[in-house]
Amino acid sequence: MFSKRLSSLAFGFRSGKEKMIEEHGQLQLVDQEDEDEEEIFELIYKLILQGINEGDIKKLQDSGIYTCNGLMMHTKKNLTGIKGLFETKVDKICEAAEKLVNIGHVTGSDLLLRRKAVIRITMGSQALDELLGGGIETLSITEAFGEFRSGKTQLAHMLCVSTQLPIHMHGGNGKIAYIDTEGTFRPDRIVPIAERFGMDAGAVLDNIVCARVYTYEYQYNLLLGLVAKMFEEPFRLLIVDSVIALFRVDCSGRGELAEF
């Protein structure tokens, strides 16, 4: 029998479009411009410079592919499954992406620079932060699992607030996307957590986008739609609570689950 699980996926975008300021004793998220941050991802529209037409790029975006880095994570077999992309087109697209993304060996120094883009977000508990080496990492997947009423959803609510804290307060300085598969998100639980950190509860709730989903197919399609939103706005964390619940309901046994 599957354990009840929560997965949180955090993206460390360092676009610097927003920052936290203190106003009237409360922290708020405001706009800022910062052009000095190094780009981590090569956006898919840059393929135009390599001779790929806008129509084919739109097909990739409709399939949830918004970066050349993400494109290189797909097999050519998967890409040819996208309506309107044939084998010759896929070969040309992949060849163009390889020119923009370094898929070969890189030096340890280059990897160290990339690691500097990783943010560690506090979980609101010093003991838990120490266990994780400083908190939840961005640019990675963190899965929390345990028995019923062991605190997984409470942890998710805590991260909805702590992710909005400034970097110097061990936050992520960004917004949160929350996919709720079991109807457990409670905005009223966010309010006291925000007050604990001296934040405006209304502003905190405005920086959380939540979707209630009922089928695994809707969950998958919603994730594709969130990709575009995450490149338009400074999201730092994606929480799915719980990631396996709908698959457990909709699939008959492990055999059918393995097909996904």
mmCIF file of all heavy atoms in Angstrom, residues 5 10 48 80 105 109 113 124 126 132 148 157 164 167-168 174 189 201 204 221 247 254:
data_model
loop_
_atom_site.group_PDB
_atom_site.id
_atom_site.type_symbol
_atom_site.label_atom_id
_atom_site.label_comp_id
_atom_site.label_asym_id
_atom_site.label_seq_id
_atom_site.Cartn_x
_atom_site.Cartn_y
_atom_site.Cartn_z
ATOM 1 N N ARG A 5 2.060 10.798 0.535
ATOM 2 C CA ARG A 5 3.267 11.569 0.288
ATOM 3 C C ARG A 5 2.990 12.999 -0.125
ATOM 4 O O ARG A 5 1.961 13.326 -0.662
ATOM 5 C CB ARG A 5 4.124 10.903 -0.804
ATOM 6 C CG ARG A 5 4.573 9.501 -0.428
ATOM 7 C CD ARG A 5 5.451 8.925 -1.505
ATOM 8 N NE ARG A 5 5.884 7.591 -1.134
ATOM 9 C CZ ARG A 5 6.710 6.869 -1.861
ATOM 10 N NH1 ARG A 5 7.177 7.320 -2.991
ATOM 11 N NH2 ARG A 5 7.070 5.674 -1.469
ATOM 12 N N ALA A 10 11.318 22.773 -6.152
ATOM 13 C CA ALA A 10 11.703 24.173 -6.036
ATOM 14 C C ALA A 10 12.634 24.582 -7.160
ATOM 15 O O ALA A 10 13.605 23.907 -7.437
ATOM 16 C CB ALA A 10 12.402 24.396 -4.693
ATOM 17 N N ILE A 48 15.054 30.597 -32.378
ATOM 18 C CA ILE A 48 14.776 31.405 -33.579
ATOM 19 C C ILE A 48 16.090 31.865 -34.208
ATOM 20 O O ILE A 48 16.232 31.901 -35.440
ATOM 21 C CB ILE A 48 13.890 32.612 -33.222
ATOM 22 C CG1 ILE A 48 12.503 32.139 -32.771
ATOM 23 C CG2 ILE A 48 13.770 33.570 -34.411
ATOM 24 C CD1 ILE A 48 11.583 33.256 -32.330
ATOM 25 N N THR A 80 8.988 13.550 -31.238
ATOM 26 C CA THR A 80 8.233 13.257 -32.460
ATOM 27 C C THR A 80 6.779 12.936 -32.154
ATOM 28 O O THR A 80 5.936 12.928 -33.052
ATOM 29 C CB THR A 80 8.858 12.082 -33.236
ATOM 30 O OG1 THR A 80 9.003 10.948 -32.354
ATOM 31 C CG2 THR A 80 10.219 12.454 -33.803
ATOM 32 N N HIS A 105 31.254 18.089 -21.219
ATOM 33 C CA HIS A 105 31.893 18.193 -19.914
ATOM 34 C C HIS A 105 32.098 19.665 -19.543
ATOM 35 O O HIS A 105 32.350 20.507 -20.399
ATOM 36 C CB HIS A 105 33.248 17.474 -19.937
ATOM 37 C CG HIS A 105 33.135 16.003 -20.200
ATOM 38 N ND1 HIS A 105 32.653 15.121 -19.268
ATOM 39 C CD2 HIS A 105 33.443 15.267 -21.296
ATOM 40 C CE1 HIS A 105 32.663 13.896 -19.768
ATOM 41 N NE2 HIS A 105 33.144 13.968 -21.009
ATOM 42 N N SER A 109 34.943 24.296 -11.605
ATOM 43 C CA SER A 109 34.722 25.712 -11.297
ATOM 44 C C SER A 109 33.388 26.191 -11.852
ATOM 45 O O SER A 109 32.662 26.952 -11.207
ATOM 46 C CB SER A 109 35.857 26.565 -11.876
ATOM 47 O OG SER A 109 37.087 26.227 -11.276
ATOM 48 N N LEU A 113 30.013 27.590 -9.764
ATOM 49 C CA LEU A 113 29.258 28.814 -10.038
ATOM 50 C C LEU A 113 27.767 28.522 -10.129
ATOM 51 O O LEU A 113 26.938 29.307 -9.660
ATOM 52 C CB LEU A 113 29.755 29.442 -11.340
ATOM 53 C CG LEU A 113 31.132 30.121 -11.286
ATOM 54 C CD1 LEU A 113 31.553 30.567 -12.679
ATOM 55 C CD2 LEU A 113 31.118 31.306 -10.330
ATOM 56 N N GLY A 124 11.300 26.632 8.947
ATOM 57 C CA GLY A 124 10.694 27.180 10.157
ATOM 58 C C GLY A 124 11.123 26.474 11.418
ATOM 59 O O GLY A 124 10.652 26.797 12.512
ATOM 60 N N GLN A 126 14.777 25.111 13.302
ATOM 61 C CA GLN A 126 16.233 25.045 13.243
ATOM 62 C C GLN A 126 16.718 23.610 13.160
ATOM 63 O O GLN A 126 17.670 23.300 12.437
ATOM 64 C CB GLN A 126 16.843 25.737 14.468
ATOM 65 C CG GLN A 126 18.362 25.809 14.434
ATOM 66 C CD GLN A 126 18.947 26.555 15.620
ATOM 67 O OE1 GLN A 126 18.212 27.147 16.407
ATOM 68 N NE2 GLN A 126 20.257 26.535 15.754
ATOM 69 N N LEU A 132 18.800 19.099 7.012
ATOM 70 C CA LEU A 132 18.845 19.239 5.556
ATOM 71 C C LEU A 132 19.981 20.143 5.086
ATOM 72 O O LEU A 132 20.022 20.533 3.922
ATOM 73 C CB LEU A 132 17.508 19.790 5.048
ATOM 74 C CG LEU A 132 16.306 18.864 5.211
ATOM 75 C CD1 LEU A 132 15.031 19.560 4.767
ATOM 76 C CD2 LEU A 132 16.499 17.580 4.413
ATOM 77 N N PHE A 148 -0.329 9.159 8.180
ATOM 78 C CA PHE A 148 -1.396 10.150 8.308
ATOM 79 C C PHE A 148 -1.189 10.981 9.561
ATOM 80 O O PHE A 148 -0.848 10.463 10.634
ATOM 81 C CB PHE A 148 -2.743 9.414 8.359
ATOM 82 C CG PHE A 148 -3.923 10.314 8.542
ATOM 83 C CD1 PHE A 148 -4.289 11.225 7.568
ATOM 84 C CD2 PHE A 148 -4.672 10.258 9.717
ATOM 85 C CE1 PHE A 148 -5.389 12.054 7.736
ATOM 86 C CE2 PHE A 148 -5.771 11.077 9.898
ATOM 87 C CZ PHE A 148 -6.120 11.979 8.903
ATOM 88 N N HIS A 157 2.469 24.161 4.368
ATOM 89 C CA HIS A 157 1.950 25.495 4.693
ATOM 90 C C HIS A 157 3.062 26.401 5.221
ATOM 91 O O HIS A 157 3.109 27.593 4.902
ATOM 92 C CB HIS A 157 0.821 25.388 5.717
ATOM 93 C CG HIS A 157 -0.489 24.932 5.149
ATOM 94 N ND1 HIS A 157 -0.685 23.646 4.682
ATOM 95 C CD2 HIS A 157 -1.667 25.585 4.945
ATOM 96 C CE1 HIS A 157 -1.928 23.532 4.239
ATOM 97 N NE2 HIS A 157 -2.545 24.690 4.378
ATOM 98 N N GLN A 164 8.709 33.087 0.963
ATOM 99 C CA GLN A 164 8.553 34.499 0.618
ATOM 100 C C GLN A 164 9.471 35.415 1.424
ATOM 101 O O GLN A 164 9.532 36.625 1.161
ATOM 102 C CB GLN A 164 7.096 34.915 0.817
ATOM 103 C CG GLN A 164 6.127 34.139 -0.064
ATOM 104 C CD GLN A 164 4.694 34.627 0.071
ATOM 105 O OE1 GLN A 164 4.440 35.826 0.055
ATOM 106 N NE2 GLN A 164 3.761 33.702 0.196
ATOM 107 N N ILE A 167 16.242 36.632 1.145
ATOM 108 C CA ILE A 167 17.341 35.677 1.149
ATOM 109 C C ILE A 167 18.109 35.726 2.467
ATOM 110 O O ILE A 167 18.466 34.690 3.026
ATOM 111 C CB ILE A 167 18.313 35.952 -0.024
ATOM 112 C CG1 ILE A 167 17.556 35.923 -1.364
ATOM 113 C CG2 ILE A 167 19.443 34.931 -0.034
ATOM 114 C CD1 ILE A 167 16.948 34.604 -1.706
ATOM 115 N N HIS A 168 18.333 36.936 2.998
ATOM 116 C CA HIS A 168 19.138 37.049 4.216
ATOM 117 C C HIS A 168 18.411 36.492 5.443
ATOM 118 O O HIS A 168 19.030 36.284 6.492
ATOM 119 C CB HIS A 168 19.551 38.512 4.462
ATOM 120 C CG HIS A 168 18.427 39.402 4.898
ATOM 121 N ND1 HIS A 168 17.609 40.064 4.001
ATOM 122 C CD2 HIS A 168 17.981 39.740 6.139
ATOM 123 C CE1 HIS A 168 16.716 40.773 4.661
ATOM 124 N NE2 HIS A 168 16.909 40.599 5.957
ATOM 125 N N GLY A 174 10.377 34.758 -3.188
ATOM 126 C CA GLY A 174 9.575 34.520 -4.370
ATOM 127 C C GLY A 174 8.203 33.958 -4.049
ATOM 128 O O GLY A 174 7.808 33.823 -2.886
ATOM 129 N N ARG A 189 -4.701 28.740 7.760
ATOM 130 C CA ARG A 189 -3.507 28.261 8.464
ATOM 131 C C ARG A 189 -2.279 29.080 8.080
ATOM 132 O O ARG A 189 -1.271 29.068 8.797
ATOM 133 C CB ARG A 189 -3.282 26.775 8.139
ATOM 134 C CG ARG A 189 -4.345 25.871 8.724
ATOM 135 C CD ARG A 189 -4.269 24.460 8.184
ATOM 136 N NE ARG A 189 -3.075 23.741 8.567
ATOM 137 C CZ ARG A 189 -2.857 22.457 8.253
ATOM 138 N NH1 ARG A 189 -3.766 21.791 7.545
ATOM 139 N NH2 ARG A 189 -1.761 21.852 8.636
ATOM 140 N N ALA A 201 -0.255 39.116 6.113
ATOM 141 C CA ALA A 201 -0.905 37.853 5.745
ATOM 142 C C ALA A 201 -1.605 37.949 4.393
ATOM 143 O O ALA A 201 -1.579 36.993 3.596
ATOM 144 C CB ALA A 201 -1.903 37.445 6.826
ATOM 145 N N VAL A 204 0.992 37.762 1.666
ATOM 146 C CA VAL A 204 1.511 36.392 1.595
ATOM 147 C C VAL A 204 0.546 35.493 0.813
ATOM 148 O O VAL A 204 0.957 34.722 -0.057
ATOM 149 C CB VAL A 204 1.745 35.831 3.010
ATOM 150 C CG1 VAL A 204 2.003 34.328 2.963
ATOM 151 C CG2 VAL A 204 2.917 36.539 3.679
ATOM 152 N N ASN A 221 -1.505 17.984 -16.757
ATOM 153 C CA ASN A 221 -1.727 19.146 -17.634
ATOM 154 C C ASN A 221 -1.511 20.463 -16.884
ATOM 155 O O ASN A 221 -1.025 21.440 -17.462
ATOM 156 C CB ASN A 221 -3.146 19.105 -18.210
ATOM 157 C CG ASN A 221 -3.331 17.955 -19.188
ATOM 158 O OD1 ASN A 221 -2.366 17.513 -19.827
ATOM 159 N ND2 ASN A 221 -4.554 17.465 -19.316
ATOM 160 N N PHE A 247 -2.859 9.127 -8.541
ATOM 161 C CA PHE A 247 -2.417 7.920 -9.245
ATOM 162 C C PHE A 247 -2.858 6.680 -8.482
ATOM 163 O O PHE A 247 -3.228 5.663 -9.064
ATOM 164 C CB PHE A 247 -0.892 7.921 -9.396
ATOM 165 C CG PHE A 247 -0.375 8.950 -10.364
ATOM 166 C CD1 PHE A 247 -0.018 10.211 -9.932
ATOM 167 C CD2 PHE A 247 -0.264 8.657 -11.713
ATOM 168 C CE1 PHE A 247 0.450 11.163 -10.816
ATOM 169 C CE2 PHE A 247 0.200 9.598 -12.616
ATOM 170 C CZ PHE A 247 0.559 10.853 -12.168
ATOM 171 N N ARG A 254 0.080 -1.721 -9.170
ATOM 172 C CA ARG A 254 1.385 -1.222 -9.604
ATOM 173 C C ARG A 254 1.624 -1.444 -11.086
ATOM 174 O O ARG A 254 2.378 -0.711 -11.714
ATOM 175 C CB ARG A 254 2.491 -1.902 -8.793
ATOM 176 C CG ARG A 254 2.472 -1.552 -7.315
ATOM 177 C CD ARG A 254 3.587 -2.253 -6.558
ATOM 178 N NE ARG A 254 3.522 -1.969 -5.137
ATOM 179 C CZ ARG A 254 4.137 -0.968 -4.546
ATOM 180 N NH1 ARG A 254 4.849 -0.120 -5.282
ATOM 181 N NH2 ARG A 254 4.053 -0.769 -3.252
#
